[in-house]
Amino acid sequence: MLRCLIIDDEELARTLLKTYIDRLDYIEIVASLENPLKAINILKSEPIDVIFLDIQMPELKGTDLAKIIPSTTQIIFTTAYSEYALEGFELNALDYLLKPITFDRFLAAIQKIKKDPKINENEVEGKITVKSGYDLHKIKYSDILYIESDSEYVIFHTTYKKIMSHQTLKSLEETLPELFMRVHRSFIINKNYVTALKGKDLFLTDIRIPVSSSYYELVKNQLF
């Protein structure tokens, strides 16, 4: 489980980040703080994996706090001011989120975090070799949005293209890592891209995937 701090003097910004984090079951909020000075004692006494850190705050600028944060703690800056981007990256920030922060952009930043105990690092960084016709494709697990059954074939829907392969979802289900989940007789999804469950439709951002009745409770309990 990733342990995080939210540090922002704006309540609305803290609430939005909490809403996003609550959608992911491998991140927990240790504290949500208005005053960045209160974070110093927490950082001295508890291991923190990542901090969502506002920059422009009255008590202490986020960039100043970043200079004393332990190197083992990763920083994702959150700010309404794009002019701080260069300074943020010079402090080795993992990412820089410009407000208003969308869930898509938030999720992209989260996926950069090196440590993820829920999902084995080899699974995220690993690849699958897919035969399509006479061609062989190496696809990173993290690039696969979902896999769809199409008669005797499956279609890998990735972040950059679709790849069709002559195999079954069942065979894939038995070999894919825990990063993936069967939600329907015709669909396997990448858990990291799930954003919402509305009725019996699962959403990967704006992509709607139907959830079978037999999988509904499992999807609801494991992903939400």
Side-chain angles (χ1 to χ4, degrees):
M1 180 72 73
L2 288 168
R3 294 163 54 82
C4 78
L5 292 181
I6 299 172
I7 306 174
D8 198 307
D9 61 327
E10 297 178 1
E11 183 179 359
L12 187 61
R14 296 196 305 273
T15 300
L16 179 65
L17 284 173
K18 182 181 184 303
T19 300
Y20 288 167
I21 291 168
D22 284 346
R23 297 185 189 180
L24 307 175
D25 60 1
Y26 52 88
I27 305 178
E28 66 172 335
I29 300 171
V30 175
S32 179
L33 306 171
E34 178 180 0
N35 187 337
L37 296 173
K38 292 182 179 179
I40 296 173
N41 287 334
I42 295 176
L43 289 165
K44 287 180 179 178
S45 61
E46 297 190 48
I48 301 296
D49 298 306
V50 62
I51 298 178
F52 296 93
L53 182 60
D54 187 22
I55 292 181
Q56 194 67 18
M57 292 181 286
E59 295 86 359
L60 180 69
K61 283 180 63 176
T63 46
D64 292 330
L65 178 61
K67 294 171 184 176
I68 60 173
I69 288 173
S71 59
T72 53
T73 300
Q74 298 176 85
I75 300 169
I76 297 176
F77 281 119
T78 61
T79 182
Y81 304 97
S82 59
E83 59 264 31
Y84 290 111
L86 179 59
E87 185 179 3
F89 284 118
E90 286 176 347
L91 290 167
N92 294 319
L94 185 67
D95 209 336
Y96 184 99
L97 300 180
L98 193 61
K99 299 176 183 177
I101 301 166
T102 65
F103 183 74
D104 288 357
R105 186 65 186 86
F106 165 83
L107 193 59
I110 288 293
Q111 291 172 338
K112 294 180 181 180
I113 298 175
K114 296 180 178 66
K115 177 185 174 186
D116 188 340
K118 176 179 179 289
I119 299 172
N120 187 288
E121 190 171 316
N122 290 331
E123 294 180 3
V124 177
E125 297 302 325
K127 299 176 182 179
I128 184 173
T129 299
V130 175
K131 187 175 187 297
S132 180
Y134 294 104
D135 301 328
L136 292 173
H137 300 266
K138 275 195 175 294
I139 310 173
K140 288 183 181 179
Y141 289 136
S142 56
D143 286 338
I144 300 171
L145 298 169
Y146 65 99
I147 307 165
E148 179 183 6
S149 175
D150 185 4
S151 187
E152 296 178 354
Y153 292 82
V154 296
I155 302 170
F156 289 81
H157 294 260
T158 76
T159 55
Y160 51 91
K161 65 179 176 180
K162 299 177 185 179
I163 300 171
M164 181 173 280
S165 178
H166 188 265
Q167 55 184 305
T168 65
L169 276 192
K170 182 172 177 56
S171 64
L172 283 170
E173 187 180 13
E174 293 170 352
T175 57
L176 287 171
E178 291 184 7
L179 181 63
F180 296 90
M181 184 177 188
R182 183 82 173 261
V183 299
H184 187 279
R185 65 177 182 173
S186 299
F187 294 96
I188 290 176
I189 56 93
N190 183 329
K191 296 177 184 179
N192 271 356
Y193 287 100
V194 172
T195 56
L197 177 65
K198 299 180 180 180
K200 289 192 175 179
D201 288 325
L202 197 63
F203 283 81
L204 315 182
T205 311
D206 58 348
I207 302 169
R208 185 174 66 181
I209 305 291
V211 178
S212 296
S213 297
S214 56
Y215 289 101
Y216 179 77
E217 287 302 322
L218 186 63
V219 168
K220 184 179 177 182
N221 293 334
Q222 286 198 11
L223 300 183
F224 297 92

